Amino acid sequence: QVQLVESGGGLVQAGGSLRLSCAASGRTFSTYGMGWFRQAPGKEREFVAGISGSGGITYYTGSMKGRFTISRDNAKNTVYLQMNSLQPLDTAVYYCAATTYYGGSRILSEYPYWGQGTQVTVSS
């Protein structure tokens, strides 16, 4: 079991940056692949970025690559999402999630553990 708590969301102007954090409970954090997802109003939840248990493998949805960076600090049981050059279309609730697949996954249903989400709003 792992519990996840996101933080770092807020209101930012277009072109700005935010760093989201996700703190995890438990002593086996490094064995979990981690992912960030987002859900905009009226839309389905979509994959944003994933990272392997060691942090050595990262991957992104195409539109986020180059703007967003996922990382993790296993000593702090925390995964991060650095978001740069934010645009109004990035407005959504952002969720972190944990999977027992060590390499992580792009597939929402493969993540049994979810945080409560943090709101990111980008104004034009």
Side-chain angles (χ1 to χ4, degrees):
Q1 288 278 349
V2 61
Q3 294 182 326
L4 305 171
V5 179
E6 302 98 334
S7 61
L11 174 64
V12 64
Q13 288 188 331
S17 299
L18 282 175
R19 187 175 83 153
L20 306 182
S21 299
C22 174
S25 65
R27 290 185 243 176
T28 59
F29 177 68
S30 63
T31 67
Y32 289 89
M34 299 296 295
W36 283 97
F37 293 75
R38 70 184 187 184
Q39 188 166 17
K43 295 190 175 181
E44 294 187 351
R45 196 169 298 189
E46 63 174 346
F47 173 79
V48 173
I51 189 167
S52 63
S54 68
I57 300 171
T58 60
Y59 41 97
Y60 303 86
T61 291
S63 62
M64 287 80 166
K65 192 171 184 179
R67 297 193 299 128
F68 292 6
T69 303
I70 188 171
S71 62
R72 67 190 295 163
D73 185 340
N74 286 341
K76 295 182 179 180
N77 277 19
T78 302
V79 63
Y80 304 97
L81 184 68
Q82 177 67 44
M83 305 186 294
N84 299 327
S85 301
L86 284 163
Q87 299 301 318
L89 284 177
D90 294 316
T91 295
V93 177
Y94 284 72
Y95 298 89
C96 73
T99 176
T100 54
Y101 293 107
Y102 184 77
S105 173
R106 296 175 181 269
I107 302 172
L108 186 150
S109 62
E110 292 181 348
Y111 286 84
Y113 307 110
W114 291 84
Q116 82 288 352
T118 186
Q119 176 71 47
V120 171
T121 303
V122 185
S123 64
S124 57

